[in-house]
Amino acid sequence: MEKIQETLRFVRLAETRKNLDFSDEKLLDLNEILDEYEANQLKLKQRQRRLKMRLNEGPADKAQLIDEYFAVKVSVHENEMAMWKKVRELLTPDETIEFFTFYQEFQRKVQQRARQLNRPNQRNPRNNRFRN
């Protein structure tokens, strides 16, 4: 997981430099904000998955787990809003819009690629060698 995070960070750094016409200082500050945001999001999403699994196992005190799950969901949103607030303070309004557009597309592409890697590729015979 750590290797994946580091690879994504490297790709994000390269993509921000390639796609955003910001000063080097702003790019470094922006990527520090994103490093913190993404690390927090990963921890929160992992906690959310663990709570969801525990809920599905049928524990005795589901009410407490549901409360914890909702608290994590709120923390996910608060983390995102904190990131956007920091971005907004760092960038001009036009730069913020440019970054917002870039980052949405970047996240969409990363998620799309992750889904492709998690799903068996029907065209790749190596992935289908045990199927009849």
Side-chain angles (χ1 to χ4, degrees):
M1 185 59 93
E2 197 171 299
K3 185 169 174 64
I4 292 170
Q5 276 183 280
E6 192 59 33
T7 301
L8 283 173
R9 183 179 184 276
F10 178 77
V11 170
R12 179 177 33 82
L13 285 166
E15 289 295 312
T16 55
R17 182 166 303 281
K18 183 175 102 177
N19 291 292
L20 300 172
D21 191 26
F22 299 168
S23 70
D24 287 344
E25 183 180 329
K26 277 190 181 181
L27 285 171
L28 286 173
D29 291 344
L30 183 61
N31 278 291
E32 284 179 19
I33 292 168
L34 293 174
D35 288 345
E36 179 184 353
Y37 163 73
E38 289 172 357
N40 288 338
Q41 285 296 90
L42 182 64
K43 289 175 192 172
L44 290 166
K45 294 288 186 175
Q46 287 173 338
R47 186 166 175 224
Q48 190 175 1
R49 280 190 294 278
R50 283 192 304 271
L51 286 167
K52 190 172 182 180
M53 286 189 315
R54 287 176 56 199
L55 277 167
N56 290 332
E57 291 171 357
D61 192 6
K62 285 187 179 185
Q64 179 185 354
L65 286 176
I66 290 169
D67 290 343
E68 288 179 47
Y69 184 81
F70 287 156
V72 171
K73 296 279 279 180
V74 167
S75 295
V76 166
H77 293 291
E78 288 172 344
N79 185 47
E80 184 174 7
M81 294 308 297
M83 182 268 293
W84 284 112
K85 182 178 179 186
K86 290 174 186 175
V87 167
R88 180 66 181 96
E89 291 169 357
L90 174 68
L91 303 176
T92 68
D94 287 341
E95 289 172 336
T96 301
I97 292 167
E98 183 180 354
F99 170 73
F100 178 76
T101 303
F102 158 78
Y103 196 61
Q104 267 190 320
E105 183 64 15
F106 177 77
Q107 287 183 313
R108 188 190 65 75
K109 286 179 181 177
V110 167
Q111 290 168 1
Q112 181 182 30
R113 183 69 176 134
R115 281 191 300 274
Q116 287 173 345
L117 292 173
N118 284 330
R119 154 179 45 172
N121 186 347
Q122 299 301 320
R123 294 184 210 161
N124 187 343
R126 290 184 304 173
N127 289 343
N128 295 324
R129 66 178 146 207
F130 297 112
R131 294 182 183 192
N132 291 330

